[in-house]
Amino acid sequence: MICENIGINASGHLTFSGLDSIDLAKKHGTPLYLLDEDRIRDRCRLYKNTMQECLGGDSRPLYAGKAACFKRMYEIMREEGLSVDLVSPGEIHTAMKAGYPMENAFFHGNNKTDGDIAYAIDCGVGCFVADGEQELDAANRIAGEKGVCQNMLLRLTPGIDPHTYDAVATGKVDSKFGSAIETGQAEAFLKHALSLPNLKVIGYHCHVGSQVFDEDGTVYQDAADIMLAFTKEMLDKYGVQPKYLNLGGGYGVRYTDRDPQIDIAANIRALAVFVKEKAESLGLVCPSVLLEPGRSIVADAGMTLYTAGTVKRIPGYKNYVSVDGGMTDNPRYALYGSKYTIYIANKATAEANFRCDVVGRCCESGDIIQPAVLLPEPERGDIIAVCTTGAYNYAMASNYNRIPRPPVVMLSQGNDYVAVRRETYDDLMKNDI
Ligand code: LLP
């Protein structure tokens, strides 16, 4: 099985977080997002404890809410004492409604509008991650109008290629995010920030990319190397000693058994040794390190269940199995060619030798969940399980073809409960006038 929270029970059914997936499909209907709350909490603790142990100070993970954003997630983050990274007023609003303590929130975005900035300040967001000088001016003006001094991290681009797919590689110099160190713009960004009375620079940020397999530790250590060298230069020139070094998110997860398993704790430990040694060699007080994991907290805590419909065989060509969802609940193959592991949940012990494309119900050929998968002989009514869908699936779902979004059902200690209910047809029309 692709993840240790997946098993097979005596009825030959796939289990997830110890629960029978067929029972869950019957109870909640399909398509259905399942999320293993126990695993999410384990991941939060792993990051939090490891960072505290080996980096100390105020080092901590911020959960990147963009990976899976709904009220219950922020309640879990609140309960786990995790800080969060939020990217829009909508995410801020969701966290607020969950009673999330906003002083632990960091507000990201490459194009925060004046309205976004005002809203985040009104909500008491602890820190902004500023993307450029124009944002600083707007934030300074709005903070001044509101009589507050807003904490800021400055987002920099260290010029690192994380060897992932282009849409999620963000740390390169030509990125739309942040200010590049190489071009001198990062220094100008800092100088400008220091001149603004209603902003307080408390650190630097970078994010190299997402779904990064940093097996030898070079990607994050290279980023830290460049960021700390910049820190030292700025300390010497302007006397700025930042409290935080935020190295972003991005640790990769296993979608198929060809992907490596990242040992997150070992990776963080190695990073900690590197950061401390580097800081010491530069004569810097070691900043507290922040990381922004999204995918690696929720991805393999997720599974999507569908009901198989039409099975189409085109002799000499290929086979299709159509499911009752598709690119509306999981656009990742359509967007990035992402890989997935798929099982027939009610035939979990059967031999998988039927090659087919698993496709959705939308009216376009690109609506593919995964091409060329091997499944047991499929039939209409089978329950199809797509694994590792906890990150960037519900979060990126749409209503294309007027298809309602599936519910999110949480699994915790052998129980299941609905965290986000299934959209109704009336929900689809609620803004139609
Ligand atoms: N921090 C920043 C500034 C980010 O831009 C991101 C992701 C993260 C943290 C979290 O990265 P993670 O740990 O989840 O890899 N929709 C794409 C992924 C986009 C990632 C965008 N930024 C996908 O489905 O693969």
Side-chain angles (χ1 to χ4, degrees):
M1 296 288 124
I2 185 68
C3 185
E4 65 221 25
N5 56 357
I6 304 174
I8 300 174
N9 64 16
S11 325
H13 293 173
L14 208 65
T15 61
F16 192 51
S17 190
L19 291 166
D20 186 314
S21 58
I22 304 304
D23 291 347
L24 290 166
K26 279 197 190 122
K27 181 170 172 187
H28 298 284
T30 61
L32 171 64
Y33 293 119
L34 299 174
L35 265 189
D36 178 347
E37 178 177 331
D38 301 334
R39 192 167 178 90
I40 293 172
R41 289 184 186 272
D42 282 351
R43 285 293 147 123
C44 292
R45 290 170 200 174
L46 175 75
Y47 268 103
K48 200 175 153 188
N49 297 338
T50 311
M51 291 185 72
Q52 193 44 245
E53 273 161 31
C54 64
L55 285 154
D58 192 27
S59 297
R60 55 192 150 118
L62 323 177
Y63 166 63
K66 62 186 80 87
C69 174
F70 51 89
K71 194 171 121 204
R72 181 68 189 135
M73 279 299 288
Y74 294 109
E75 288 171 358
I76 292 171
M77 295 306 145
R78 187 192 70 210
E79 288 163 12
E80 291 298 324
L82 235 70
S83 298
V84 296
D85 133 17
L86 306 170
V87 295
S88 69
E91 288 193 358
I92 293 173
H93 184 75
T94 309
M96 290 279 286
K97 290 281 178 183
Y100 187 83
M102 296 312 286
E103 65 272 18
N104 294 338
F106 288 67
F107 183 31
H108 269 277
N110 67 303
N111 185 23
K112 301 178 186 79
T113 66
D114 285 12
D116 297 350
I117 292 168
Y119 184 66
I121 293 176
D122 286 343
C123 292
V125 165
C127 185
F128 280 42
V129 184
D131 211 86
E133 292 188 41
Q134 294 168 27
E135 178 187 331
L136 292 178
D137 287 331
N140 180 59
R141 173 173 41 81
I142 296 165
E145 283 160 14
K146 293 181 183 294
V148 298
C149 181
Q150 182 62 50
N151 286 333
M152 292 276 159
L153 295 182
L154 303 185
R155 181 164 181 170
L156 312 180
T157 36
I160 298 270
D161 181 354
H163 310 296
T164 182
Y165 49 105
D166 271 359
V168 296
T170 48
K172 298 196 249 177
V173 173
D174 60 359
S175 169
K176 81 167 176 176
F177 298 102
S179 296
I181 294 176
E182 188 183 307
T183 58
Q185 284 163 302
E187 180 173 348
F189 188 25
L190 171 67
K191 266 175 77 178
H192 192 58
L194 294 175
S195 74
L196 299 172
N198 306 315
L199 306 181
K200 183 170 179 219
V201 177
I202 59 170
Y204 304 122
H205 170 280
C206 71
H207 170 75
V208 290
S210 196
Q211 186 61 0
V212 175
F213 287 108
D214 190 18
E215 282 172 283
D216 51 4
T218 50
V219 174
Y220 289 92
Q221 290 176 22
D222 285 355
D225 194 28
I226 294 168
M227 296 293 284
L228 286 168
F230 177 81
T231 303
K232 166 71 174 157
E233 205 186 322
M234 296 306 108
L235 174 66
D236 291 347
K237 283 192 181 167
Y238 308 104
V240 180
Q241 169 62 60
K243 180 167 181 206
Y244 295 108
L245 172 62
N246 184 333
L247 294 172
Y251 283 136
V253 302
R254 283 182 89 219
Y255 286 98
T256 73
D257 52 20
R258 284 181 298 281
D259 291 327
Q261 179 82 58
I262 290 198
D263 183 340
I264 291 170
N267 219 298
I268 292 174
R269 277 189 218 108
L271 181 66
V273 170
F274 180 87
V275 167
K276 285 185 193 159
E277 282 178 8
K278 179 76 188 175
E280 199 183 324
S281 75
L282 291 169
L284 280 174
V285 177
C286 192
S288 293
V289 173
L290 305 175
L291 293 174
E292 297 173 331
R295 191 189 311 267
S296 55
I297 290 198
V298 288
D300 60 18
M303 175 183 278
T304 306
L305 299 179
Y306 302 98
T307 302
T310 302
V311 178
K312 177 174 178 175
R313 296 173 166 86
I314 314 173
Y317 289 86
K318 58 154 67 165
N319 305 313
Y320 289 98
V321 177
S322 295
V323 298
D324 54 354
M327 64 192 294
T328 43
D329 59 79
N330 183 357
R332 296 192 68 258
Y333 179 78
L335 283 171
Y336 319 117
S338 304
K339 301 271 190 289
Y340 281 102
T341 298
I342 305 185
Y343 304 107
I344 296 187
N346 50 307
K347 296 176 177 168
T349 52
E351 206 184 324
N353 49 18
F354 182 83
R355 182 176 292 274
C356 58
D357 286 10
V358 175
V359 297
R361 61 176 303 168
C362 296
C363 295
E364 63 175 82
S365 306
D367 176 22
I368 299 168
I369 299 277
Q370 196 65 196
V373 294
L374 283 173
L375 294 177
E377 192 70 25
E379 294 158 279
R380 195 176 178 90
D382 281 342
I383 299 297
I384 307 282
V386 180
C387 304
T388 327
T389 56
Y392 305 111
N393 272 236
Y394 171 73
M396 295 178 77
S398 77
N399 291 130
Y400 181 46
N401 286 184
R402 273 303 211 212
I403 293 172
R405 289 183 183 83
V408 180
V409 167
M410 309 294 288
L411 310 179
S412 171
Q413 314 204 333
N415 297 310
D416 55 290
Y417 66 93
V418 177
V420 181
R421 66 169 174 73
R422 186 181 297 285
E423 277 180 337
T424 64
Y425 299 131
D426 280 340
D427 288 337
L428 298 174
M429 297 195 60
K430 67 178 184 292
N431 298 320
D432 292 17
I433 291 166

Coordinates of all heavy atoms in Angstrom, one line a residue, residues 228 270-284 286:
L228 N 21.4 33.3 4.6 CA 22.2 33.7 5.8 C 23.3 34.6 5.3 O 23.7 35.5 6.1 CB 22.7 32.4 6.5 CG 21.7 31.7 7.3 CD1 22.2 30.3 7.8 CD2 21.2 32.5 8.5
A270 N 19.2 17.7 9.8 CA 20.3 18.1 9.0 C 20.3 19.6 8.7 O 21.4 20.2 8.7 CB 20.3 17.2 7.7
L271 N 19.2 20.1 8.4 CA 19.0 21.5 8.1 C 19.5 22.3 9.3 O 20.2 23.3 9.2 CB 17.6 21.8 7.7 CG 17.3 23.3 7.3 CD1 18.0 23.7 6.1 CD2 15.7 23.4 7.1
A272 N 19.0 21.9 10.5 CA 19.4 22.6 11.7 C 20.9 22.7 11.9 O 21.4 23.7 12.3 CB 18.7 21.9 12.9
V273 N 21.5 21.5 11.7 CA 23.0 21.5 11.9 C 23.6 22.5 10.9 O 24.5 23.4 11.3 CB 23.6 20.1 11.6 CG1 25.1 20.1 11.5 CG2 23.1 19.1 12.7
F274 N 23.1 22.5 9.7 CA 23.7 23.4 8.7 C 23.5 24.9 9.1 O 24.4 25.7 9.0 CB 23.1 23.1 7.3 CG 23.6 24.0 6.2 CD1 24.8 23.6 5.5 CD2 23.0 25.2 5.9 CE1 25.3 24.5 4.6 CE2 23.5 26.0 4.9 CZ 24.7 25.6 4.3
V275 N 22.2 25.2 9.4 CA 21.9 26.6 9.7 C 22.7 27.1 10.9 O 23.3 28.2 10.9 CB 20.4 26.7 10.0 CG1 20.0 28.1 10.6 CG2 19.6 26.5 8.7
K276 N 22.8 26.3 11.9 CA 23.6 26.7 13.1 C 25.0 26.9 12.8 O 25.6 27.9 13.2 CB 23.4 25.7 14.2 CG 22.1 25.7 14.9 CD 22.1 24.7 16.0 CE 20.7 24.4 16.6 NZ 20.7 23.2 17.3
E277 N 25.6 26.0 12.1 CA 27.0 26.1 11.7 C 27.3 27.3 10.8 O 28.3 28.0 11.0 CB 27.5 24.8 11.0 CG 27.8 23.7 12.0 CD 28.2 22.4 11.3 OE1 28.5 22.4 10.1 OE2 28.3 21.4 12.0
K278 N 26.4 27.5 9.9 CA 26.6 28.6 8.9 C 26.5 29.9 9.7 O 27.3 30.8 9.5 CB 25.5 28.5 7.8 CG 25.6 29.6 6.8 CD 26.7 29.4 5.8 CE 26.8 30.6 4.9 NZ 28.0 30.5 4.0
A279 N 25.5 30.0 10.6 CA 25.3 31.3 11.3 C 26.5 31.5 12.2 O 27.0 32.6 12.2 CB 24.0 31.2 12.2
E280 N 27.0 30.5 12.8 CA 28.2 30.6 13.6 C 29.4 31.1 12.8 O 30.1 32.0 13.2 CB 28.5 29.3 14.4 CG 29.4 29.6 15.6 CD 29.7 28.3 16.3 OE1 28.9 27.3 16.3 OE2 30.9 28.2 16.8
S281 N 29.6 30.4 11.7 CA 30.7 30.8 10.9 C 30.7 32.2 10.4 O 31.7 32.9 10.1 CB 30.9 29.8 9.7 OG 29.9 30.1 8.7
L282 N 29.5 32.8 10.3 CA 29.3 34.2 9.8 C 29.3 35.1 11.0 O 29.2 36.3 10.8 CB 28.0 34.3 9.0 CG 27.9 33.6 7.7 CD1 26.5 33.6 7.2 CD2 28.8 34.3 6.6
G283 N 29.3 34.6 12.2 CA 29.3 35.4 13.4 C 27.9 36.0 13.6 O 27.8 37.1 14.1
L284 N 26.9 35.3 13.2 CA 25.5 35.8 13.3 C 24.8 35.1 14.5 O 25.1 33.9 14.8 CB 24.7 35.3 12.1 CG 24.7 36.1 10.8 CD1 23.9 35.3 9.7 CD2 24.2 37.5 11.0
C286 N 22.0 33.0 15.6 CA 21.2 32.2 14.7 C 19.7 32.6 14.8 O 19.1 32.6 15.9 CB 21.3 30.7 15.1 SG 20.7 29.6 13.9

